[in-house]
Amino acid sequence: MTTASRLTDGIELVVDALQANDVETIYGVVGIPITDLARAAQAAGIRYIGFRHEGSAGNAAAAAGFLTQRPGVCLTTSGPGFLNGLPALANATTNCFPMVQISGSSQRAIVDLQRGDYQDIDQLNAARPFVKAAYRIARVEDIGRGVARAIRTAISGRPGGVYLDIPGEVLGQTMEESAAAATIWRLVDPAPRQLPAPSAVERALDVLSQAQRPLIVLGKGAAYAQCDSTIREFVEQTGIPFLPMSMAKGLLPDSHPQSAAAARSLAISRADVVLLIGARLNWLLGHGESPQWSPDAQFIQVDIAASEFDSNRPIVAPLTGDIGSVVSALLEALAARPIQPAAAWTEELAERRARNDTKMRERLAENPHPMRFYNALGAIRSVLQDNPDVYVVNEGANALDLARNVIDMQLPRHRLDTGTWGVMGIGMGYSIAAAVETGRPVVAIEGDSAFGFSGMEIETICRYRLPVTVVILNNGGVYRGDEVAAGATGATKASRAEKDPAPTVLNAGARHELLAEAFGGKGYHVSTPAELEKALTEALASNRPTLIDCELDPGAGVESGHLASLNPARAAGSVNPPSGAG
């Protein structure tokens, strides 16, 4: 008499496949058809962090990928849940963060004939334009293969977002446990090294050796690579000034004597040879064009994807390979070809840096009341200088632009912000991921407008008792809170306009700290730098969820931060008057 083999189902196989590939945490929002998948994962020992919105869960998964070099996993429901997660997945792809979004979906036979199934949407094709790759698992026996393929694609080469579609019917399919075990496997070397060609290394050093005013630009790709000591050794051996992009701050300390961060404009405009390490010549670097850059500047670029070269300016010495391997090869070759920037160049940058540092200290010493951005950030800076291991998350317009310059970083991968797309709403997701993945305290420096995109995740922070302190720089508006509503013509329109706030105005009297108190956290409302410094010091010491509402002058701030030039110009008389105007 034959004993029947035990059956297993798609849900158990997804969990087994994730565990086989070292997935320790899932970020998501439960619902049909993936609720039991979240339960099974938790029961098996995978930590499940449940969010209030899929966008924040996706942002957390993306940040986890950046911090760990392993794909962060986001789990969503079908239809609207999938769509809510998609912007974060697209943002991960744009920023080169490894991430996998797993979404349940409706029955293919009904969806493909457009018969109107529950949350009926062709999720696979909807995702494809926004991700590195999109896959659908159609049979229970393909679950292990599909998970392995998604993880390898997300992490190999240039990292990015991958969408994995699993219809609810596949999660419910069963197969014999003995046969199922063979369908699960662990990836071998999912992100293999890619060594640069020796001739490419020689070419790059030839160009660098002829430079009088060389500059190294470190991007977040350099931080992601986690070859910190190799990069530092190369920078220090060459003596070349370096400019960190915002998420590369701390790769070498901002206080390092070769840092050109405080002389950014001069460094960019005067450099004659630029070595890009994990940075791209996109809008964040003015596309490499004048007047920001010298028209005669030559560019050397390190990138794992050769297709990135020549995207804006000619790359005279492309270095294809992973950053660790490329910088190691450059460092080894330096022994036979020492490089030394002109003394006049380093002195010029040092002088500008000293001058700008003096101006910064003067701004930080100002003490207007109500507070403005600089003296609020000065108080935060003072506390963080005593706590360099704190992770900083930063978003907003003025809150982002000014904090980037004011808050120095001493350790790598300790600053996370809006990145390549400049997306608002990443704050709470990134903060939660930083706390979960590192176990360290996190301070989120938020504009009041930016906070509103993901503010309900304060409940998530409190529910999981995470050491996250949110500081809201509250000037009561988008950019600033003192804009007067534009007048309208006609009696009805004028009456309505008198009651409605201007498009950029929020609630200047908002007491955001009460949100934390509502969910069991600690709240502070502060109106002076001394109060802010005291509250932040107490919050970090407590290691508990905290929200500090920092009351600023509604007139503080400028429109679009440093990007006002990207708004279409509206010269007087160049637009038609509103309908009904006389």
Side-chain angles (χ1 to χ4, degrees), residues 228-483:
D228 311 336
S229 60
T230 305
I231 290 175
R232 180 166 187 159
E233 187 176 355
F234 177 78
V235 170
E236 292 180 341
Q237 279 203 24
T238 61
I240 297 174
F242 70 91
L243 177 66
M245 302 299 287
S246 61
M247 285 183 62
K249 284 167 65 69
L251 190 55
L252 284 84
D254 283 335
S255 56
H256 194 284
Q258 287 172 243
S259 173
R264 176 188 172 98
S265 297
L266 176 65
I268 286 176
S269 64
R270 294 268 292 139
D272 60 357
V273 172
V274 182
L275 172 58
L276 302 164
I277 303 179
R280 295 173 283 184
L281 284 178
N282 54 22
W283 70 276
L284 289 164
L285 285 171
H287 304 103
E289 298 172 351
S290 59
Q292 291 190 43
W293 297 89
S294 167
D296 299 323
Q298 293 183 296
F299 290 90
I300 304 166
Q301 186 169 4
V302 181
D303 204 290
I304 203 165
S307 58
E308 181 61 36
F309 303 138
D310 306 304
S311 58
N312 280 292
R313 285 283 295 269
I315 303 301
V316 300
L319 287 159
T320 306
D322 68 274
I323 289 171
S325 296
V326 172
V327 178
S328 293
L330 290 169
L331 189 58
E332 184 177 347
L334 274 180
R337 191 193 304 265
I339 291 173
Q340 182 66 46
W345 173 233
T346 56
E347 291 168 3
E348 182 180 8
L349 289 173
E351 181 183 347
R352 178 64 62 87
R353 174 179 171 174
R355 188 192 316 166
N356 288 343
D357 281 344
T358 299
K359 291 180 180 178
M360 175 69 75
R361 286 194 296 271
E362 291 172 353
R363 292 297 302 271
L364 296 177
E366 295 172 357
N367 191 27
H369 190 79
M371 274 193 294
R372 299 178 73 85
F373 283 98
Y374 272 102
N375 58 321
L377 288 168
I380 298 171
R381 169 186 164 120
S382 177
V383 176
L384 293 182
Q385 283 177 334
D386 295 333
N387 297 274
D389 60 339
V390 168
Y391 283 78
V392 173
V393 175
N394 187 202
E395 64 174 334
N398 296 279
L400 173 70
D401 291 331
L402 300 179
R404 181 193 296 127
N405 297 331
V406 172
I407 307 297
D408 288 341
M409 304 304 300
Q410 305 303 318
L411 298 173
R413 291 169 298 282
H414 276 57
R415 177 184 167 84
L416 296 90
D417 63 30
T418 59
T420 304
W421 263 2
V423 175
M424 296 299 108
I426 53 88
M428 298 303 97
Y430 281 18
S431 297
I432 290 167
V436 169
E437 299 294 339
T438 72
R440 302 301 305 161
V442 179
V443 171
I445 303 171
E446 301 273 311
D448 54 331
S449 173
F451 172 76
F453 285 85
S454 62
M456 195 60 188
E457 302 302 343
I458 284 292
E459 188 275 332
T460 307
I461 292 169
C462 292
R463 183 170 13 117
Y464 289 94
R465 300 179 297 280
L466 299 175
V468 175
T469 298
V470 180
V471 180
I472 300 177
L473 301 180
N474 182 10
N475 66 345
V478 182
Y479 313 128
R480 54 194 294 168
D482 64 345
E483 181 181 349

